[in-house]
Structures are given as structure tokens and as C-alpha cells.
Amino acid sequence: MTTSTNSEAGNKLICTVDVVLLSLSEGQLRVLLLKREREPFAGAWALPGGYVHIGEDQGCEDAAQRVLRQKAGLESPYLEQLASFSGPARDPRGWSVSVAYFALVPHPEEALPGQQWLPVDRLPQLPFDHGSIVATAVERVRSKSQYSSLPVHLCPEPFTISQLHAVYETLLGEPINTVSFRRKLDELAILEPVVGEKRTEGAHRPAQLYRVRAEFRQRLRLVGRGLNR
């Protein structure tokens, strides 16, 4: 781990990345937290994060992907830069800047020792400014869920339209008109049927299974707002 030096002020600038890893489980949006092994805040639950390695990382996104691999033990199919958080008070070691990312996985991986998935609305007090980072990420995800295909990255494939509809409703926290929802999916044009595959849902007739088209697995399509109209 490295820090860079601000020669003008004679102080060290701490440059890190933090990753808000989100998933859905039991109808709740959850975030992965890790127990810190070192000071500051040893023993506290915090976001996966770490220093940018100047000699190893080609950029902050590379650093975020490395942090996910090394500290969370996974690769996320969706990773997006969230915002930068900086200032003299966020880290007791000195003036720091963190480039934060959020990542999405379709279902929580089994938590390893020192990890836990917690509902985003029932978090303990988090160190640094990680509480603000999580809140910003949740707001971004819920905002984009109103007009984009982002929620498909939280739905395990293959899925039915009803399952995807439920994911959108969970993220938005309100009912979505079924007809409007299907119309928006047609506008986004991101899904393709899995030929010959159906799933029985309750007492209804078997429903067609879908998956995300390969060209849209990472890229988002944005359309006009109004899923609930």
C-alpha cells in the first residue's frame, strides 16, 4: 500500500478506493461489509477498500477491481464509479481522498469469515465516511432504476419477467404498473428469451425465461423516465 506526498504542504495525501458491493437477498438490498483487521478502527465493519497501488494499478477502476478480488473474493459483472470523497477529517491518519465505486452481483455470495451482508437500511455506525458512501450508492442505484436497465444486474439469470419486475419494485420501494414495465423493457431491448426454457410460477402457466443480451451485460441503456406511468 502506498501514499503520495503533497510537497507544497509537506503532508502526505492518502489515496484510496472504496467499493459498495450491493446485492438482493430475502427482498432486501444488502451491502457487503468486512471486519477491519488493522487500525484505525480495528474490529469495525467497513466497506472493502484499500490504497491505490501506483506501480500496479493502471487507474482507480483497476484498484477497485483488485480490492474486490483480494478482499471480497469475487469479480462483479457490473462496476461503476460513484464519486470522490475527500477532506482532512475523514481519516485519522491524515488528509485523504477516496474514489468510491459501486458494484452489483445478482445474489450474495456466501459470507466468508470476517464478512457479512447487511440490509442497507439497518447498518451499524461505519468508520471513516463509509455510511455516507453507502447512502450515496443506494441513492444512485435507486435513481437509475427509474429509467435504466441497471436492476438486471441484480437478477440471477435466467429469470422471468415477473422476477425482474419484483427486483425493480424492491429497489424503487413502490408498485410498478405491469403494462408500463413491459413497455419499458421493450424500449430498452436488452433481453432475449432462452429458447425452450420456461419456469412454473405458482398456479400460473409456465413463464418464459430470459437473459440479458451479451452486448448489454455491462453497458447501460438509458431511456425516458416513467416506469410507473
Side-chain angles (χ1 to χ4, degrees):
M1 294 185 178
T2 61
T3 58
S4 58
T5 300
N6 184 333
S7 58
E8 182 177 327
N11 297 320
K12 286 186 176 180
L13 170 65
I14 301 170
C15 183
T16 63
V17 294
D18 290 298
V19 182
V20 183
L21 181 60
L22 297 169
S23 190
L24 282 176
S25 176
E26 299 177 352
Q28 294 179 309
L29 187 62
R30 297 174 182 264
V31 62
L32 181 70
L33 299 179
L34 309 183
K35 181 172 286 189
R36 287 183 59 82
E37 298 179 351
R38 302 175 182 175
E39 296 292 351
F41 307 113
W45 293 100
L47 294 172
Y51 290 111
V52 175
H53 292 181
I54 297 175
E56 177 182 352
D57 301 319
Q58 296 301 307
C60 288
E61 184 171 331
D62 284 348
Q65 291 172 338
R66 175 178 51 77
V67 163
L68 278 178
R69 287 194 303 271
Q70 295 178 352
K71 297 193 173 183
L74 56 81
E75 300 272 358
S76 171
Y78 187 84
L79 179 70
E80 180 180 325
Q81 186 172 317
L82 178 64
S84 61
F85 297 80
S86 61
R90 61 178 306 274
D91 191 320
R93 293 168 292 187
W95 211 104
S96 69
V97 57
S98 175
V99 180
Y101 289 79
F102 72 91
L104 306 178
V105 289
H107 53 79
E109 301 290 334
E110 183 177 354
L112 301 174
Q115 299 180 353
Q116 60 177 342
W117 289 92
L118 292 182
V120 297
D121 56 356
R122 293 206 304 272
L123 297 179
Q125 184 71 31
L126 301 181
F128 308 106
D129 51 1
H130 287 188
S132 296
I133 295 175
V134 172
T136 302
V138 170
E139 181 181 3
R140 172 77 62 83
V141 169
R142 286 178 171 159
S143 175
K144 281 197 168 185
S145 296
Q146 298 181 47
Y147 59 92
S148 80
S149 61
L150 183 69
V152 300
H153 299 286
L154 289 168
C155 200
E157 292 186 352
F159 48 78
T160 65
I161 297 299
S162 295
Q163 288 175 314
L164 184 58
H165 184 260
V167 168
Y168 270 85
E169 288 189 326
T170 297
L171 291 176
L172 294 174
E174 60 185 16
I176 298 174
N177 179 273
T178 301
V179 175
S180 297
F181 179 71
R182 288 180 177 269
R183 183 169 61 247
K184 286 297 180 183
L185 288 182
D186 289 340
E187 292 176 9
L188 289 167
I190 59 170
L191 303 182
E192 63 182 7
V194 181
V195 179
E197 295 291 332
K198 294 186 178 183
R199 179 178 296 158
T200 301
E201 296 183 325
H204 302 286
R205 64 182 182 180
Q208 176 65 51
L209 291 174
Y210 292 84
R211 62 187 171 213
V212 179
R213 296 180 187 275
E215 61 267 32
F216 295 115
R217 290 188 186 279
Q218 175 70 13
R219 183 162 61 91
L220 285 179
R221 287 283 302 278
L222 306 183
V223 297
R225 296 175 184 269
L227 277 171
N228 293 303
R229 294 180 199 165

